[in-house]
Amino acid sequence: MHAAAAALLGVGLAVALIMWGDLPKPEEVAVSPPPNALTAPVVRSWREAARRVEENRGEPVGRAAAVVVPSELRHYSDRRRFLAVQVAESRAQDFELPDDYAELVALIERGQMVEMKPLGDEYVLYGIGSSVSDDPLTHYDRATGTDIPLYENYADFQDADAAMEESIPELKAKAAGLQKDLRVLRAPKLRKQRAAYLRQRKALQAQLKGTQAAVKLLDKRRQRVAAFYDDYDKRRLLVAEYRLLSDKAADFDGRSYDLRTPAGRAQFKARLLSFIRPEAREVLLEIARHYHDQFGRPLPVTSLVRTERYQQRLGEVNANATQIATPPHTTGLAFDVYDRYMTAAEQNELMRFVAQLEDEGRVEALRETRDHIHIFAFNDGRRPAEALIARSLDAVRPAFVAAPRRAPAVKKSAVRRPALSRSTSRPPPGRVSPPAR
């Protein structure tokens, strides 16, 4: 009997192993866990929440869903007004805006920003800081619009400067070699070989032009960096910023990041972007709670605070990233919600609730063209004065009058905002990562 039982158990295990191999594995989520997901249980919980965000609803989602966008979430007839309202709030509060990561850390250390954990009861951070670079940390010089690398001391700067100086002759030698190749390149006698000759000549010319430009750029960069480190006061500022960042990276609420490695730097930067002002955090949680209560899913949040420099770089790959003197996300009052996987019912209810908050004068919001809803929370729960908004219009892009819709516009609490006509064509639903945020 024991032998028979053992045989049956062996067969059962074999069948189970075969069946296990046929079971569908959980589909991997479109984005990676945020760097503040510290432990394996948190990462597992985060992945499960992200799967809930991306779960197939069995009906059209995102921009393939037929939704009714409230007038509150559309552009004003003068498109400048949407950004002007947010600029006015920043001016009214006299916020200190972070140009770079060192200034953001300073705001965090003073308690002006609070961290959003990777996963809350009703929300999930979904792709926060996905566009950060793994480059060495820098100081952003607003006067020249350039990045100045941060070194721990003057000796480290001298080593880096010497390395740049050695690179210049190498690049010049490469340029000379390309010029020689161009001189000796001869046009073929046979017509059928001329196309290949022209392609080769064009490629050499492009390489030469790029190498010569690199020489000029490297030399200019070397002079600019030296101008900072050879100035005593500027050097003290840069070294202080480096130490502020390195101290934070060494002990970031119990976790450390190695700033000497590309991966460590990228994780550190991305985690810094998971902060927000306390007042905006409360609004975010209120919206997330409502969405979760209605649909049982976590609210996907893709953007919180940004530095001025990160905003500029983001603008190169994301048309939604505004390029003005006071970008809303640098205030720490703005956050973005991702509706790419939401059904029409989900989107309509979410937009209705956000529109209600806007009618109450608590937020300014816009449904963007790349699957996001941008929400800006007013610091004291009140819209800034109309006179200040009017004075802020010139701080944003030139005036653009939106095309009026055919139906009468819905009145807002402060100003009438006509809805823009929108194309009825939509991209097919699919499983994609959020745009760079």
Side-chain angles (χ1 to χ4, degrees), residues 13 36 42 88 123 183 202 250 265 299 350 353 386 394:
L13 287 174
N36 51 349
V42 172
Y123 76 89
R183 285 196 301 269
K202 186 177 181 180
R265 291 191 294 266
L299 184 75
L350 175 61
F353 188 75
E386 192 62 36
D394 292 337

Side-chain angles (χ1 to χ4, degrees), residues 121-186:
D121 292 335
E122 296 96 10
Y123 76 89
V124 59
L125 298 190
Y126 188 85
I128 294 286
S130 59
S131 294
V132 296
S133 72
D134 57 11
D135 298 335
L137 291 159
T138 60
H139 163 82
Y140 178 64
D141 180 41
R142 180 178 283 273
T144 60
T146 56
D147 296 316
I148 307 300
L150 295 176
Y151 302 108
E152 186 174 7
N153 50 52
Y154 190 73
D156 287 349
F157 154 71
Q158 289 179 311
D159 292 341
D161 182 67
M164 283 193 289
E165 186 179 17
E166 292 176 2
S167 299
I168 292 176
E170 297 175 3
L171 289 170
K172 288 182 176 179
K174 180 181 177 181
L178 291 168
Q179 286 177 323
K180 182 180 179 180
D181 292 341
L182 277 169
R183 285 196 301 269
V184 301
L185 188 63
R186 294 288 182 267

Side-chain angles (χ1 to χ4, degrees), residues 328-406:
H329 281 278
T330 62
T331 65
L333 292 173
F335 56 93
D336 293 343
V337 174
Y338 194 47
D339 61 11
R340 177 65 183 82
Y341 300 104
M342 295 184 187
T343 64
E346 292 177 63
Q347 293 184 64
N348 285 332
E349 179 58 27
L350 175 61
M351 289 189 290
R352 185 203 64 77
F353 188 75
V354 173
Q356 176 183 316
L357 295 179
E358 183 161 338
D359 287 337
E360 294 170 0
R362 297 174 57 194
V363 305
E364 182 73 12
L366 178 70
R367 186 188 190 230
E368 297 177 337
T369 56
R370 300 182 72 188
D371 303 313
H372 286 86
I373 299 175
H374 173 90
I375 302 169
F376 183 93
F378 298 122
N379 190 60
D380 55 4
R382 296 195 307 272
R383 184 179 299 275
E386 192 62 36
L388 184 55
I389 295 173
R391 290 197 299 270
S392 301
L393 287 171
D394 292 337
V396 300
R397 63 187 63 176
F400 176 88
V401 178
R405 65 177 185 175
R406 296 176 182 176

Side-chain angles (χ1 to χ4, degrees), residues 25-316:
K25 296 180 179 179
E27 186 179 8
E28 190 57 56
V29 297
V31 298
S32 301
N36 51 349
L38 301 178
T39 63
V42 172
V43 171
R44 286 195 297 270
S45 298
W46 179 91
R47 285 193 173 127
E48 181 56 36
R51 290 189 187 99
R52 291 283 291 154
V53 168
E54 301 173 9
E55 191 173 26
N56 188 339
R57 271 66 155 175
E59 60 180 289
V61 295
R63 305 197 77 80
V67 301
V68 179
V69 181
S71 62
E72 289 88 346
L73 271 67
R74 295 179 181 268
H75 267 298
Y76 296 93
S77 58
D78 182 349
R79 286 198 175 194
R80 296 178 303 166
R81 182 178 171 84
F82 171 68
L83 290 173
V85 171
Q86 297 168 83
V87 171
E89 174 69 2
S90 178
R91 291 175 173 178
Q93 302 297 334
D94 194 23
F95 283 138
E96 180 181 350
L97 309 181
D99 284 340
D100 49 37
Y101 291 107
E103 291 187 356
L104 178 54
V105 168
L107 293 176
I108 293 170
E109 294 294 284
R110 292 199 292 270
Q112 296 184 30
M113 300 280 179
V114 293
E115 186 171 13
M116 296 293 295
K117 297 303 180 184
L119 179 65
D121 292 335
E122 296 96 10
Y123 76 89
V124 59
L125 298 190
Y126 188 85
I128 294 286
S130 59
S131 294
V132 296
S133 72
D134 57 11
D135 298 335
L137 291 159
T138 60
H139 163 82
Y140 178 64
D141 180 41
R142 180 178 283 273
T144 60
T146 56
D147 296 316
I148 307 300
L150 295 176
Y151 302 108
E152 186 174 7
N153 50 52
Y154 190 73
D156 287 349
F157 154 71
Q158 289 179 311
D159 292 341
D161 182 67
M164 283 193 289
E165 186 179 17
E166 292 176 2
S167 299
I168 292 176
E170 297 175 3
L171 289 170
K172 288 182 176 179
K174 180 181 177 181
L178 291 168
Q179 286 177 323
K180 182 180 179 180
D181 292 341
L182 277 169
R183 285 196 301 269
V184 301
L185 188 63
R186 294 288 182 267
K189 295 180 180 179
L190 298 177
R191 180 184 291 257
K192 64 180 180 180
Q193 296 176 341
R194 185 163 180 80
Y197 157 76
L198 291 174
R199 285 196 300 270
Q200 185 180 4
R201 183 175 182 82
K202 186 177 181 180
L204 286 171
Q205 289 173 334
Q207 291 179 52
L208 175 60
K209 184 178 180 180
T211 304
Q212 290 173 334
V215 171
K216 293 180 181 179
L217 183 64
L218 187 59
D219 187 56
K220 184 178 180 180
R221 176 178 175 80
R222 180 170 172 254
Q223 293 178 28
R224 186 184 300 120
V225 174
F228 268 79
Y229 278 92
D230 288 339
D231 183 293
Y232 178 73
D233 292 330
K234 291 181 179 179
R235 182 167 70 247
R236 288 187 62 189
L237 169 67
L238 297 175
V239 171
E241 287 190 358
Y242 176 88
R243 290 176 179 170
L244 176 67
L245 290 166
S246 61
D247 288 347
K248 189 66 174 176
D251 185 6
F252 202 149
D253 295 335
R255 184 175 182 180
S256 63
Y257 299 87
D258 188 354
L259 299 183
R260 296 169 297 179
T261 66
R265 291 191 294 266
Q267 291 172 357
F268 179 64
K269 294 175 184 178
R271 184 169 179 187
L272 289 175
L273 298 181
S274 66
F275 280 74
I276 193 172
R277 289 193 182 270
E279 299 80 6
R281 180 180 184 273
E282 293 309 309
V283 175
L284 188 159
L285 294 177
E286 183 178 350
I287 296 171
R289 190 176 306 115
H290 178 82
Y291 174 76
H292 185 270
D293 288 347
Q294 294 291 317
F295 302 103
R297 300 180 188 277
L299 184 75
V301 179
T302 58
S303 291
L304 299 169
V305 72
R306 298 173 186 163
T307 67
E308 167 68 20
R309 191 66 182 106
Y310 182 74
Q311 179 77 24
Q312 290 179 357
R313 290 186 172 181
L314 193 59
E316 298 171 2

